[in-house]
Amino acid sequence: MTFLVISLVVLAFIVGNIMWLRPSPHDRALIKLRADAKAAGFTVHLRPAPEWLNIPEGQRMVAQYQWTQPLAKSLIGKWRWHAGLGNWQPVNNSEAWLTEIPWPTPAPAGWLGIEVLSNATIVYWRESTRADAIDTMRRVLAAAGA
């Protein structure tokens, strides 16, 4: 009888540890979101946010989704969403204030900034597990490139 009780305790311990290895439902949703983004043509990275986003220490890890379709040359630069003022602000590019800002106002949920390079566009954001997040991102960037 003692052997059976000890065997059940050991088995419960092993099964419990195996269950801890499974990703949580939120992590599984993020994995699916990133896979969908890659299938839609984005390159996905999780990195510290650049300094120009002015994110407080301790909250600096953000997702970077890179879209490899080039946008108009007039959009090249860095754009930061300012939640307090409720608008997009160009960073280190005073001429950008003279052009119409193509990004939606208010910013889509979780968007922190956009960096337009000559060959790609990077969206910095706090990932949400909403099913339409990737479609929204792709639609906004495609509309800006049109």
Side-chain angles (χ1 to χ4, degrees):
M1 182 67 174
T2 305
F3 177 75
L4 183 62
V5 170
I6 292 175
S7 297
L8 288 175
V9 169
V10 169
L11 182 64
F13 179 76
I14 292 171
V15 170
N17 284 332
I18 290 173
M19 294 304 287
W20 274 103
L21 294 176
R22 291 186 58 209
S24 68
H26 182 262
D27 289 341
R28 284 194 297 261
L30 282 178
I31 290 168
K32 182 181 180 326
L33 177 81
R34 292 172 184 163
D36 291 346
K38 287 180 183 180
F42 288 92
T43 304
V44 179
H45 302 283
L46 186 62
R47 296 191 177 138
E51 292 291 326
W52 57 267
L53 283 176
N54 293 335
I55 296 177
E57 201 65 39
Q59 301 175 6
R60 304 221 26 182
M61 291 303 285
V62 296
Q64 298 178 5
Y65 282 45
Q66 183 172 336
W67 176 254
T68 56
Q69 305 296 321
L71 298 184
K73 299 282 186 209
S74 62
L75 295 177
I76 290 179
K78 300 171 185 171
W79 303 81
R80 174 179 53 222
W81 174 250
H82 192 293
L85 298 176
N87 66 3
W88 288 97
Q89 299 177 333
V91 178
N92 300 329
N93 184 2
S94 57
E95 293 177 15
W97 287 105
L98 303 175
T99 62
E100 183 179 338
I101 298 174
W103 319 122
T105 301
W111 286 33
L112 303 170
I114 299 173
E115 184 173 5
V116 180
L117 307 171
S118 61
N119 61 347
T121 303
I122 302 171
V123 176
Y124 300 93
W125 71 306
R126 302 244 186 253
E127 292 173 302
S128 71
T129 56
R130 289 183 25 223
D132 66 338
I134 298 302
D135 292 333
T136 300
M137 189 178 296
R138 189 173 183 167
R139 188 178 65 251
V140 167
L141 295 178

